[in-house]
Every structure is written in C-alpha cells, then in structure tokens.
Amino acid sequence: MASVSVYNMEGKEVGTIELNDAVFGVEVNEHLVHMAVVQQLANNRQGTQKAKTRSEVSGGGRKPWRQKGTGHARQGSTRSPQWKGGGVVFAPVPRDYSFKLNKKEKRAALKSALTSKVQEQKLVVLDELKLDEIKTKKFVNIMKNLNVDKGLVVIADNDLNIVQSAKNVAEVNTTLVNTINVYDIINARTVVLTKDAVARIEEVYA
C-alpha cells in the first residue's frame, strides 16, 4: 500500500495514511483514461450547429442562363455552393455526440487517474476541511498553505461553506466523491482529498 502524508489546514504534516492499492495503486491504463476524457467532453457538446445545404437555401429555382453560347461556365442554380448566398457543401446538422462507456471501464479509468496522481506525488490528503463561514479569503489561505494553485478539492459530504467559498477561486474546483470524474482529476495539477473522502472513495471503488 502507498503511504502518503496527511496535512492540516495550516499546511503542517500531522501524520500518514495508507492508501488502498485496489484504488490508488492499480496499473495505469492510459487508453481508458483517454476514452473517459473524450466521452465526458463529447457528452458536454450541445450538437446544435446547423447550416443550410443548396437544397435548403431559398431561391435558385431557375437556371441563370442558357447552357451554351454565353461564354460563361454552365450553371444550373444561383444557390450552388460556389455562388454568393449559395448553400454550404456538407453542411453541419444537429447531432448527438455522446457515447457510452461501460461501468467497468469508467471505474478502471477513475482508478488509473487517481493512481497517476499518487505516482506523480500530486495527491494531498487533509485531515479535515471545515470553515465556520463562507469566506473566500480563508479558503485561498488554505490552498496557499498546501501549495495548491490549480487543483481539485474532493470532499465527502456537501459542505455549503466550502463550496461557496471556493466558487470565486480561479483554477480551483470542488467536487463530491459521488460526482468525481476523470477529466477533473487529469485537468487538475494537484488533487486534494479529505480523509473522509479517501475512506468514501475506497469504500465505493475498492
């Protein structure tokens, strides 16, 4: 089992914690991590882009000039793609970009992402994360104490004080254990987990 240091909100080391290898010590599968990230980004796409083809643009019903004898190239419609106001070739149409990964693949990708952060020593464990009030300045100070600039903070339970305090902090996101995802883990330079969050993750994914 991997052993990592546990810090308090002042950034001081207060102990160590053994991480379950079934979650934080798996063989990293880069292909699954890549697929999970692509899936999340694809599922977030609206897919509402639309342009008109030559059959959908109004006008152009009459042949602009006769076939032969004018000196011009032959033309059948003023709404052909080469004309101003004409249709778009292979125009985009609304579509659904989403696709599915099965549960085993998603779990394996998440474990791989967490393991990679442990291997890179970019995973920080907090003994607890509590704020008495919604105060962005206090949250920023905690992140400074932990040397976190671009990070993901994972908490076990929805704490309004923490979530609201972190809302205006650039480059730092908060998430719950049940909404954690591969893209956010990979995108963060440092992942911060509370001890409760570690226990909950190991309980769910081990």
Side-chain angles (χ1 to χ4, degrees), residues 52-178:
K52 292 183 179 181
T53 63
R54 60 180 293 171
S55 67
E56 296 168 317
V57 179
S58 63
R62 184 174 65 87
K63 188 175 174 67
W65 52 73
R66 67 179 190 269
Q67 182 82 345
K68 293 177 179 291
T70 62
H72 295 298
R74 55 195 176 186
Q75 298 291 335
S77 169
T78 58
R79 291 299 176 257
S80 295
Q82 73 269 23
W83 283 70
K84 179 185 177 183
V88 178
V89 182
F90 305 130
V93 294
R95 55 165 289 196
D96 181 11
Y97 287 91
S98 65
F99 63 95
K100 290 184 178 180
L101 289 178
N102 64 46
K103 280 186 179 180
K104 283 186 177 179
E105 288 175 327
K106 284 183 179 179
R107 292 171 71 94
L110 186 66
K111 291 177 183 180
S112 292
L114 290 170
T115 299
S116 68
K117 289 299 178 185
V118 174
Q119 292 175 350
E120 295 165 7
Q121 296 182 341
K122 296 295 183 181
L123 188 136
V124 176
V125 179
L126 270 176
D127 61 345
E128 65 174 358
L129 181 58
K130 289 183 179 178
L131 293 175
D132 298 329
E133 57 181 338
I134 298 172
K135 199 74 175 174
T136 300
K137 189 175 181 180
K138 289 184 178 180
F139 185 84
V140 169
N141 287 335
I142 294 171
M143 293 298 103
K144 283 182 178 177
N145 293 338
L146 298 171
N147 293 320
V148 174
D149 50 1
K150 182 181 180 182
L152 175 69
V153 179
V154 184
I155 53 180
D157 300 301
N158 192 16
D159 189 324
L160 189 64
N161 288 349
I162 295 171
V163 174
Q164 292 295 330
S165 297
K167 227 170 189 178
N168 284 335
V169 182
E171 303 294 335
V172 176
N173 297 315
T174 60
T175 188
L176 299 174
V177 171
N178 59 353

Side-chain angles (χ1 to χ4, degrees), residues 126-127 156-157 177 194-201:
L126 270 176
D127 61 345
D157 300 301
V177 171
T194 62
K195 285 181 72 174
D196 290 342
V198 171
R200 191 77 58 84
I201 289 172

Side-chain angles (χ1 to χ4, degrees), residues 18-59:
E18 296 286 335
L19 299 177
N20 192 336
D21 284 343
V23 179
F24 297 95
V26 301
E27 184 179 348
V28 177
N29 190 324
E30 292 183 7
H31 174 67
L32 284 182
V33 172
H34 171 74
M35 288 301 295
V37 171
V38 170
Q39 187 217 21
Q40 185 172 341
L41 296 178
N43 291 358
N44 287 341
R45 293 185 68 174
Q46 287 185 315
T48 55
Q49 72 276 43
K50 176 73 175 78
K52 292 183 179 181
T53 63
R54 60 180 293 171
S55 67
E56 296 168 317
V57 179
S58 63

